[in-house]
């Protein structure tokens, strides 16, 4: 073990970020399909740029969704609702390029196999009550607070939807939080406001509301809109694409990532459902006291129900092997088993598309309902 402190950083982005806007559109389409037909197969991508949304992908369903009004509703809810933003829910074009799912893929899913091959990771750590890394939890809370202030208060009337945050924490050699070293907030704003006011307000209304004051000292660096100006934002400032914020969506870089995005995919796609199952298990393992930190990997082959491998890291290799065998014996990790145990055919997915898929109440994969099983193992 090193004798020196170390630093770790995670970032988050707001619901108005172009990539996150696309995630929300994709998941809103998924939800609408599941409402009409819970057996819908959906792989829906979204691309956003100035004045335009393009929706593409593969959908097989017994229902039909009127796409343009749904897309406009999502964009309006985010806050892109007037021409000054140069991306307006009422004036954008919506292009629909959706096709039906390949029968070659459907053939494997129809026999309850995985919708594709791939690797998925779940993770938990005991340094926060959410069992997420503290860097990510604070980064999420900063942009969530920005959205709350923008939508529901008049404290910062110049705020606009696009924003990012970043938090760097200094850790002791033992892995304990020592202090917050750096906070970065970049928020879109109206042109008439100056940066000193934005920084003062961010410190007063955003950072002070989110970050415990005992973690900030006179050496903590705070950067607010460090380029000096952030007026042009959203899809007018940068293109957006579904699935480009996979580290923000998961664990802030604190563990490995299999590479598969979540949004726009129905739960037969193990990229999504197996990642949720892995988080559910990892969180309960840590909460049960089996480990202080846990990483789980699953792998799948297209058309095959059971995972091709289950791997765990809890810093005790012998115990990890035993725990992996226990999980394979006790839990149904087939796509159908995961869908059933986590009740994943309900229209819950648009809510997942902001501020991370993990560490938030209201989702079955966040429940601590497996503690007795893992305590018995321990």
């Amino acid at each position: 073990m090193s004798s020196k402190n170390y630093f770790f950083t995670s970032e988050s982005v707001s619901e108005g970020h172009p990539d996150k806007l696309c995630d929300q559109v994709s998941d809103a389409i998924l939800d609408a399909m599941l409402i009409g037909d819970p057996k819908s197969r959906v792989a829906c991508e979204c691309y956003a740029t100035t004045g335009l949304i393009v929706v593409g992908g593969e959908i097989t369903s017994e229902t039909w969704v009127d796409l343009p009004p749904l897309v406009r509703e999502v964009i309006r809810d985010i806050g892109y609702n007037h021409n000054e933003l140069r991306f307006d829910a009422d004036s954008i074009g919506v292009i629909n390029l959706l096709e039906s799912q390949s029968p070659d893929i459907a053939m494997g899913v129809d026999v309850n196999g995985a919708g594709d091959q791939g690797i998925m990771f779940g993770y938990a750590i005991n340094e926060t009550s959410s069992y997420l890394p503290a860097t990510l939890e604070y980064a999420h809370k900063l942009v969530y607070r920005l959205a709350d202030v923008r939508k529901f208060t008049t404290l910062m009337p110049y705020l606009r939807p696009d924003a990012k945050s970043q938090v760097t924490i200094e850790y002791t050699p033992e892995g304990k939080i020592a202090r917050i070293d750096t906070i970065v907030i970049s928020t879109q704003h109206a042109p008439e406001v100056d940066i000193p006011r934005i920084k003062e307000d961010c410190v007063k209304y955003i950072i002070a509301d989110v970050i415990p004051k005992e973690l900030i000292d006179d050496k903590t660096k705070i950067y607010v809109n460090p380029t000096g100006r952030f007026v042009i934002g959203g899809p007018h400032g940068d293109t957006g694409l579904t699935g480009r914020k996979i580290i923000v969506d998961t664990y802030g870089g604190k563990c490995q990532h299999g590479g598969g995005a979540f949004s726009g995919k129905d739960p037969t796609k193990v990229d999504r459902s197996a990642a949720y199952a892995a988080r559910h298990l990892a969180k309960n393992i840590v909460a049960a006291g089996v480990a202080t930190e846990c990483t789980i990997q699953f792998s799948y082959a297209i058309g095959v129900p059971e995972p091709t491998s289950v791997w765990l890291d809890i810093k005790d290799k012998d115990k990890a092997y035993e725990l992996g065998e226990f999980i394979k014996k006790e839990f149904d990790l087939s796509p159908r088993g995961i869908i059933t145990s986590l009740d994943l055919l309900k229209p819950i997915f648009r809510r997942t598309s902001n501020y991370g898929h993990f560490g938030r109440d209201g989702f079955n994969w966040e429940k601590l309902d497996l503690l007795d099983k893992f305590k018995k193992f321990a």
Side-chain angles (χ1 to χ4, degrees), residues 64-375:
W64 175 84
V65 172
D66 191 2
L67 208 63
L70 177 61
V71 172
R72 295 181 195 283
E73 176 194 340
V74 173
I75 293 166
R76 191 176 296 109
D77 287 349
I78 292 169
Y80 290 111
N81 50 20
H82 55 86
N83 286 327
E84 285 182 27
L85 298 175
R86 306 185 195 183
F87 188 83
D88 176 15
D90 293 319
S91 61
I92 59 163
V94 179
I95 297 176
N96 182 354
L97 300 177
L98 291 168
E99 301 285 348
S100 60
Q101 186 184 54
S102 162
D104 296 342
I105 296 174
M107 189 165 54
V109 179
D110 289 341
V111 295
N112 301 318
D116 201 354
Q117 72 174 49
I119 56 176
M120 305 85 209
F121 287 91
Y123 177 79
I125 187 169
N126 68 353
E127 69 182 24
T128 63
S129 60
S130 66
Y131 298 93
L132 284 184
T135 50
L136 182 64
E137 179 162 291
Y138 291 139
H140 281 327
K141 285 182 175 180
L142 288 170
V143 285
Y144 186 86
R145 173 64 179 164
L146 275 169
D148 261 4
V149 168
R150 172 174 61 87
K151 289 180 170 183
F152 305 118
T153 81
T154 58
L155 296 173
M156 301 170 71
Y158 50 81
L159 289 178
R160 289 179 170 178
D162 197 356
K164 288 185 175 182
S165 67
Q166 190 170 282
V167 175
T168 301
I169 288 180
E170 180 178 352
Y171 288 87
T172 67
E174 298 75 27
K176 303 297 182 183
I177 296 172
R179 54 184 288 277
I180 288 183
D181 182 75
T182 308
I183 299 170
V184 182
I185 295 176
S186 294
T187 181
Q188 188 184 13
H189 59 86
E192 65 271 11
V193 67
D194 57 38
I195 293 300
R197 180 185 172 188
I198 297 173
K199 181 171 183 178
E200 180 182 350
D201 287 349
C202 278
V203 170
K204 183 177 180 180
Y205 300 124
I206 308 300
I207 295 172
D209 186 78
V210 169
I211 307 296
K213 61 182 179 180
E214 64 269 17
L215 295 182
I216 296 179
D217 57 28
D218 56 4
K219 293 183 180 179
T220 299
K221 300 177 284 293
I222 297 176
Y223 299 106
V224 175
N225 286 14
T227 67
R229 185 175 171 86
F230 188 2
V231 172
I232 299 173
H236 181 69
D238 194 5
T239 58
L241 192 65
T242 300
R244 269 204 304 216
K245 287 292 175 281
I246 57 177
I247 300 303
V248 171
D249 284 343
T250 52
Y251 305 105
K254 198 66 183 288
C255 79
Q256 302 97 313
H257 195 290
F262 301 156
S263 290
K265 298 177 181 177
D266 76 85
T268 67
K269 279 73 172 175
V270 283
D271 274 344
R272 181 168 219 159
S273 53
Y276 291 168
R279 162 63 178 179
H280 188 215
L281 293 168
K283 182 177 181 179
N284 277 268
I285 286 168
V286 173
V290 178
T292 58
E293 185 177 8
C294 176
T295 303
I296 298 178
Q297 184 207 59
F298 297 146
S299 66
Y300 289 83
I302 188 167
V304 179
E306 298 302 323
T308 56
S309 69
V310 174
W311 173 87
L312 284 90
D313 181 11
I314 56 171
K315 298 182 170 43
D316 181 333
K317 289 185 178 180
D318 290 339
K319 194 174 182 182
Y321 174 80
E322 294 172 7
L323 187 52
E325 294 301 302
F326 176 80
I327 286 171
K328 286 190 283 186
K329 178 183 176 183
E330 293 291 326
F331 299 97
D332 183 353
L333 299 176
S334 67
R336 172 178 278 187
I338 293 170
I339 290 168
T340 301
S341 65
L342 296 181
D343 199 12
L344 295 181
L345 294 181
K346 292 183 176 177
I348 59 170
F349 296 106
R350 182 178 168 187
R351 288 192 291 120
T352 69
S353 57
N354 287 320
Y355 315 114
H357 290 242
F358 307 120
R360 297 160 55 205
D361 293 336
F363 301 118
N364 287 337
W365 54 89
E366 291 297 315
K367 289 183 177 179
L368 295 176
D369 53 355
L370 308 176
L371 296 180
D372 289 343
K373 278 196 173 186
F374 288 116
K375 284 178 180 176

